[in-house]
Amino acid sequence: MMLKLLFTLAGVFLLGTGIYHSHKALPSGISYQGKPVPLVDPTLHTDTTEHYPDGTEVRQHEIFDEVFRLIAGAKQFVLLDMFLYNSTKPEGVPHRPLAQQLTDALIARKQALPDIEMIVISDPLNTMYGGTSSDWFEQLRQAGITVVVTDLRPLRDSNPTWSALWRVVFQWFGNNAENGWLGNALGEQPVTLRSYLALPNFKANHRKLLVTDQAEGFRALVTSANPHDGSSRHSNLGVSFSGAAVADVLLSEQAVMAMSGADASVLNPWIDRARALGAKASAGDATPDQGVIRLLTESAIRDQALDMINRAGNGDRIDLAMFYLAHRPVVQSLLSARARGARLRVLLDPNNEAFGHDKSGIPNRQVAMELHRAGVPVRWCNTKGEQCHSKLLILRPAAGNTEVLLGSANFTRRNLDDFNLETNVWISASSATPTARKAVDFVERQWQHGPDAAPVLSLPYEVGADESRLKYWRYRLMEASGLSTF
């Protein structure tokens, strides 16, 4: 009888822990929504890997070229927050060594300007949650650069089924980078069992951004691209900009530093300077045609996406290019927009491969089936080992500005419902502006090229269709429960 009571109490305690940590209050400054401010000097940067019928491959990658340019031009300040920062990659395919190139660029600027303040924020996945050390982080620290490994524990738990047990039992054992004995799925250093016990918590600092001061003022870049060798062939999007929105980026990053136990006050003078210079730049350079920009993090991204889709009606157009599409309210809103007469195009990664490993196609193929049956045009990116990694939503109303939402967030429960850390920007600008035109052209070109045009950038729905009802309900269960990596 006593044993049954103890098991019952333990079960109740685990259930209560799971419920609390999946619904608790967010740390201060998380789920941040900036005000719409003038869009100053924007540039849209695109990465694409193009495949030709003869087997050749052409990469047109702009994002990290811009990252390295901004770092090289920094005068007093650099802040970088990137999710994947390591060199893992499949064998037999050439990749750009982005992790080392970024490390070298940061160290070179620090050596050229020893007094420059540099802060690098990243996710603990890069150290297998403390079970290994990061060669790149150690190089940065030795050069005098501050490295903040994000503490994810204050965030809500996306997978309470596992995380409740982890919080009650396993988190107290900590971890040790010197005592690894198991093979490492993300590198060569052996890891501890405790690393793998932390992995199923399924949450991350998934942000990807850079802020630097340049001769002309502060500049930020928000992107979907990682400084990760195995990701160097992926298709991605990013936008760099100046003006008042840069201060919002710094404010949102100050919250991550504070949550992680770092000295967040070091950002105060840079936020003040970015505000002052941003206000001056916005007043002097902005015009109504250039439009406005708003910084969004976490669930504020979801709210903006749903607002854009829910406003689309007869004669309006929605383009979506997404690595993972699974979020049920977003899917339902797309279906409703189609029913209202909006013209939709959905371009998806086939979710069939990741860094040399086969995948099941979940969730994109199951959501694609749902959209296709409702009459929504769906195409698959033509990938050959890389990923169609962009996260882009475009609203083109019959009258008015083009609206663009892009950044780090996939449209999934983890990414949009306050479990991961994410950063996006929303832009509203005239359709004639270079930013709006290039965003639309990014989708247009991939949509039109294939399978009979060269390069073959996308393929029709039928090529990647998977209409298994079993897999569909498997996706629904994974999305609802948090028992998923997407």
Side-chain angles (χ1 to χ4, degrees):
M1 186 69 178
M2 181 61 69
L3 193 59
K4 286 184 179 180
L5 178 61
L6 289 174
F7 274 115
T8 300
L9 290 174
V12 170
F13 185 67
L14 285 172
L15 179 62
T17 299
I19 292 172
Y20 170 73
H21 283 288
S22 57
H23 294 85
K24 65 186 179 182
L26 294 170
S28 177
I30 303 302
S31 193
Y32 180 82
Q33 177 175 286
K35 295 180 180 179
V37 295
L39 179 61
V40 177
D41 195 20
T43 302
L44 193 72
H45 310 278
T46 61
D47 284 2
T48 57
T49 296
E50 301 177 347
H51 299 287
Y52 288 79
D54 63 1
T56 58
E57 176 182 296
V58 175
R59 304 180 202 177
Q60 299 180 355
H61 289 178
E62 301 172 355
I63 295 170
F64 273 92
D65 289 345
E66 177 67 3
V67 167
F68 299 142
R69 188 190 72 80
L70 290 175
I71 292 171
K75 304 300 181 184
Q76 295 179 298
F77 179 76
V78 174
L79 182 143
L80 180 99
D81 189 346
M82 290 283 174
F83 168 52
L84 284 180
Y85 191 153
N86 64 70
S87 65
T88 57
K89 57 186 179 294
E91 298 299 325
V93 181
H95 289 85
R96 186 175 180 182
L98 286 175
Q100 192 61 58
Q101 287 182 355
L102 177 58
T103 303
D104 292 343
L106 291 165
I107 292 174
R109 199 58 181 161
K110 182 66 173 176
Q111 290 175 340
L113 299 171
D115 292 333
I116 191 172
E117 181 148 21
M118 287 187 162
I119 300 169
V120 172
I121 304 171
S122 194
D123 187 78
L125 180 63
N126 296 292
T127 63
M128 279 299 284
Y129 306 99
T132 67
S133 60
S134 164
D135 291 341
W136 298 275
F137 294 173
E138 292 308 311
Q139 290 177 52
L140 295 173
R141 289 185 176 114
Q142 289 172 14
I145 297 170
T146 300
V147 177
V148 178
V149 177
T150 309
D151 184 358
L152 301 176
R153 290 172 300 176
L155 296 177
R156 292 174 181 166
D157 291 343
S158 69
N159 182 18
T161 304
W162 171 255
S163 294
L165 180 62
W166 180 83
R167 284 187 181 274
V168 171
V169 179
F170 299 121
Q171 71 166 324
W172 308 112
F173 293 99
N175 213 334
N176 191 313
E178 305 299 325
N179 293 340
W181 55 279
L182 292 172
N184 186 348
L186 295 177
E188 298 179 356
Q189 299 179 48
V191 299
T192 65
L193 177 61
R194 288 165 286 175
S195 291
Y196 286 107
L197 292 173
L199 192 61
N201 288 318
F202 295 148
K203 59 183 175 182
N205 176 358
H206 198 243
R207 295 181 179 184
K208 305 160 182 70
L209 59 89
L210 172 70
V211 177
T212 70
D213 70 320
Q214 304 287 297
E216 64 276 12
F218 282 85
R219 193 158 181 83
L221 182 144
V222 172
T223 181
S224 61
N226 289 295
H228 170 238
D229 295 9
S231 300
S232 63
R233 296 172 64 241
H234 292 358
S235 294
N236 279 296
L237 281 169
V239 63
S240 58
F241 51 91
S242 301
V246 178
D248 287 324
V249 178
L250 291 175
L251 275 169
S252 70
E253 290 300 298
Q254 189 174 48
V256 179
M257 292 183 67
M259 182 186 81
S260 302
D263 180 8
S265 66
V266 300
L267 291 185
N268 286 335
W270 304 109
I271 293 169
D272 292 342
R273 288 184 59 186
R275 279 176 172 157
L277 291 172
K280 182 179 178 181
S282 297
D285 299 337
T287 67
D289 286 342
Q290 283 184 300
V292 295
I293 184 171
R294 167 186 276 179
L295 185 89
L296 305 163
T297 72
E298 291 77 62
S299 61
I301 303 168
R302 174 200 64 204
D303 296 344
Q304 185 65 63
L306 290 173
D307 175 70
M308 291 169 67
I309 298 168
N310 291 337
R311 284 188 283 111
N314 189 34
D316 299 332
R317 302 191 63 166
I318 292 176
D319 287 335
L320 181 69
M322 193 64 53
F323 176 54
Y324 280 140
L325 175 60
H327 194 268
R328 294 310 305 168
V330 170
V331 174
Q332 292 299 328
S333 292
L334 290 170
L335 295 173
S336 297
R338 165 69 180 179
R340 292 192 300 270
R343 299 170 62 188
L344 276 65
R345 296 188 301 185
V346 176
L347 179 69
L348 297 174
D349 182 88
N351 292 169
N352 61 358
E353 189 175 11
F355 311 118
H357 300 285
D358 291 337
K359 295 176 64 179
S360 65
I362 295 175
N364 282 3
R365 296 184 188 228
Q366 289 60 51
V367 172
M369 174 187 73
E370 201 171 352
L371 296 173
H372 176 75
R373 290 183 174 181
V376 176
V378 177
R379 289 181 71 87
W380 307 105
C381 296
N382 180 35
T383 57
K384 305 284 186 182
E386 80 285 358
Q387 295 172 352
C388 198
H389 197 250
S390 303
K391 301 94 167 59
L392 173 67
L393 174 66
I394 304 173
L395 170 62
R396 289 186 283 166
N401 282 352
T402 295
E403 298 178 32
V404 178
L405 180 67
L406 64 87
S408 70
N410 292 296
F411 283 5
T412 73
R413 171 180 170 271
R414 273 183 65 196
N415 295 127
L416 297 182
D417 287 354
D418 288 328
F419 298 110
N420 275 3
L421 295 176
E422 307 284 351
T423 300
N424 275 40
V425 292
W426 170 79
I427 292 170
S428 174
S430 165
S431 61
T433 60
T435 304
R437 288 202 313 269
K438 190 170 182 178
V440 173
D441 288 346
F442 179 81
V443 178
E444 187 72 27
R445 187 165 187 270
Q446 293 191 69
W447 192 268
Q448 300 297 339
H449 276 258
D452 299 321
V456 181
L457 300 182
S458 67
L459 300 169
Y461 168 79
E462 290 74 18
V463 171
D466 184 346
E467 304 200 353
S468 163
R469 299 302 297 179
L470 180 62
K471 284 189 177 180
Y472 176 79
W473 287 108
R474 181 180 163 197
Y475 138 65
R476 292 292 300 270
L477 176 63
M478 293 168 73
E479 172 78 354
S481 67
L483 290 166
S484 69
T485 57
F486 56 80

